[in-house]
Amino acid sequence: MIARSLKKKFQRYLKSTKERNSKTQSKLDNCYKDGLGVTKNEEKTFQWYMKSAEGGNHMGQNNLGYWYHHGIGTTKDEKKAFQLYLKSAEEGYHRGQYNLGNCYYNGIGTAKDEKKAFQWYMKSAEGGDTLGQFNLGYCYLNGIGTTKDEKKAFQWFLKSAEGGDSEGQNNLGYCYHYGIGTTKDERKAFQWYMKSAEGGCHKGQYNLGYCYYNGIGTTKDEKKAIHWYSISAKGGNRYAQNSLDEEKIFHRHLKSAEEGNADGQNKLGYCYLLGIGTIKDDEKAFQLYIKSAEGGNNGGQYSLANCYFFGIGTTKDEKKALRWYVKSSKGGNKGNKVE
């Protein structure tokens, strides 16, 4: 029944385009693009975008610009893309204004101009485009094409987030997390990271994992943290990939240390010292270095000497530091490393 309905819609759009209706040409474009009621066909989609754009349809101009921009169904041509975005933007199409802003910001098909980028993002944002709102917030946050203003950045991220943009939701969470342009509120940060993560934003997924791992705005839950780190890492987020690697390192050395392995105790201490795969804790690092050193591991002896020398997790004591440095040196230690 659904397939039959889609075919009927496609036939209706096709009939309407023959009567030169540019709005239905744009709808027909999407049928070919998404395979709705007809076989998916990039070349035909491009042709229909062309007809729609030539008919003065602002959405069609924007869509055709996008395809020239990325070389979809045609040869990539950034200058043509810019001109089409410009037409669409000047006629008031808000997504076209957003794309034109991107052209000016990145120098796509035109000279780079951050002030013009900001101006077009502003028009797009004020017209209700969530991507324009996000980029406008980003401009205010970093002082791009305008004066830096964290409060305005927060307000535009809020609008973008409430409009359903997953990146806007992530940045709004970030604002609440660190008190940027608003009062710090870890619970709200967690809630917005959750929405962002569920919306498919890889940064939001990483930040949600970080919240679960460190108990920020929620109960600490390492399993959920690893779950969201994994999803983010699969999406290509390098911070999540590094976090997963660190998790593996930490748990490998934790198991070794619990089994009484002196080398594992030293390496686990190093994880606590630098916060690798766990929360940084100098006192735990110091206690593990004592166990490792007393177990005869020269790496642990060297690490313990450093703790006494610099006062890490314990009271500074140069005499004890020297004694453990000597023991470590006699054992042939050349440094401390975690792998």
Side-chain angles (χ1 to χ4, degrees):
M1 289 296 290
I2 294 173
R4 188 180 298 172
S5 176
L6 290 172
K7 285 182 179 180
K8 284 183 178 179
K9 281 186 179 181
F10 171 76
Q11 292 299 328
R12 189 166 67 248
Y13 293 152
L14 183 60
K15 182 180 179 181
S16 184
T17 55
K18 289 177 180 177
E19 296 169 358
R20 297 188 178 181
N21 185 322
S22 62
K23 289 184 178 179
T24 52
Q25 281 178 341
S26 182
K27 292 178 180 179
L28 186 62
D29 304 339
N30 292 328
C31 288
Y32 278 118
K33 180 171 71 72
D34 300 321
L36 302 174
V38 66
T39 304
K40 190 173 180 179
N41 189 316
E42 285 187 356
E43 289 185 6
K44 284 189 178 180
T45 305
F46 176 78
Q47 290 166 7
W48 284 110
Y49 281 153
M50 179 77 80
K51 287 185 179 182
S52 177
E54 289 173 349
N57 181 273
H58 314 318
M59 183 188 295
Q61 291 164 343
N62 174 69
N63 291 346
L64 185 63
Y66 185 88
W67 282 47
Y68 271 121
H69 183 175
H70 298 281
I72 304 170
T74 187
T75 305
K76 185 174 180 177
D77 191 324
E78 292 184 349
K79 287 186 178 180
K80 283 186 180 178
F82 171 77
Q83 290 300 326
L84 284 157
Y85 288 148
L86 181 61
K87 284 183 180 180
S88 177
E90 288 179 338
E91 293 297 329
Y93 187 61
H94 304 310
R95 184 54 56 89
Q97 292 165 343
Y98 160 78
N99 283 325
L100 184 62
N102 284 342
C103 287
Y104 279 119
Y105 179 73
N106 296 294
I108 298 167
T110 189
K112 186 170 181 176
D113 190 323
E114 290 185 350
K115 286 187 178 180
K116 285 185 179 179
F118 171 79
Q119 290 165 2
W120 283 108
Y121 288 148
M122 175 70 81
K123 288 185 179 182
S124 175
E126 290 177 342
D129 187 89
T130 57
L131 299 182
Q133 291 165 347
F134 172 84
N135 279 16
L136 186 62
Y138 185 83
C139 286
Y140 275 122
L141 182 65
N142 296 285
I144 297 169
T146 189
T147 305
K148 185 174 179 178
D149 190 322
E150 291 185 351
K151 288 186 177 180
K152 286 184 179 179
F154 171 79
Q155 290 300 326
W156 285 110
F157 287 144
L158 177 62
K159 289 191 177 188
S160 178
E162 289 179 338
D165 183 71
S166 61
E167 288 201 35
Q169 291 164 346
N170 172 66
N171 279 29
L172 184 62
Y174 188 84
C175 287
Y176 277 121
H177 189 167
Y178 297 101
I180 298 171
T182 189
T183 305
K184 184 175 179 177
D185 190 322
E186 292 185 347
R187 287 188 179 182
K188 285 185 179 179
F190 171 78
Q191 290 164 1
W192 282 109
Y193 286 149
M194 174 70 82
K195 287 185 179 181
S196 175
E198 291 176 343
C201 176
H202 304 312
K203 289 179 183 177
Q205 292 161 349
Y206 167 76
N207 285 330
L208 182 61
Y210 185 85
C211 286
Y212 274 123
Y213 191 81
N214 295 286
I216 296 169
T218 188
T219 305
K220 186 173 179 179
D221 191 322
E222 290 189 9
K223 287 185 178 180
K224 286 183 179 178
I226 293 172
H227 169 75
W228 285 108
Y229 280 153
S230 297
I231 293 174
S232 180
K234 287 177 182 177
N237 187 285
R238 63 186 179 86
Y239 295 108
Q241 291 166 349
N242 290 339
S243 295
L244 283 175
D245 289 340
E246 290 182 358
E247 284 274 345
K248 289 177 183 177
I249 289 170
F250 174 77
H251 285 290
R252 184 170 72 243
H253 296 320
L254 177 62
K255 184 178 179 182
S256 177
E258 288 175 343
E259 291 172 352
N261 184 286
D263 184 55
Q265 291 164 344
N266 174 48
K267 289 178 176 176
L268 184 63
Y270 188 81
C271 288
Y272 276 115
L273 182 68
L274 297 182
I276 298 172
T278 188
I279 298 171
K280 181 177 166 68
D281 191 321
D282 289 350
E283 290 185 4
K284 282 187 179 179
F286 173 72
Q287 292 299 325
L288 284 158
Y289 288 149
I290 289 178
K291 288 183 180 180
S292 176
E294 291 176 345
N297 183 269
N298 56 52
Q301 292 164 348
Y302 177 81
S303 299
L304 183 60
N306 282 339
C307 287
Y308 280 123
F309 187 81
F310 295 104
I312 300 169
T314 188
T315 305
K316 190 172 181 179
D317 190 324
E318 291 187 2
K319 288 184 178 180
K320 287 183 179 179
L322 180 61
R323 186 170 79 246
W324 284 109
Y325 278 139
V326 170
K327 284 189 178 183
S328 175
S329 180
K330 286 181 179 179
N333 179 67
K334 295 180 181 180
N336 191 18
K337 185 179 179 182
V338 172
E339 296 177 337

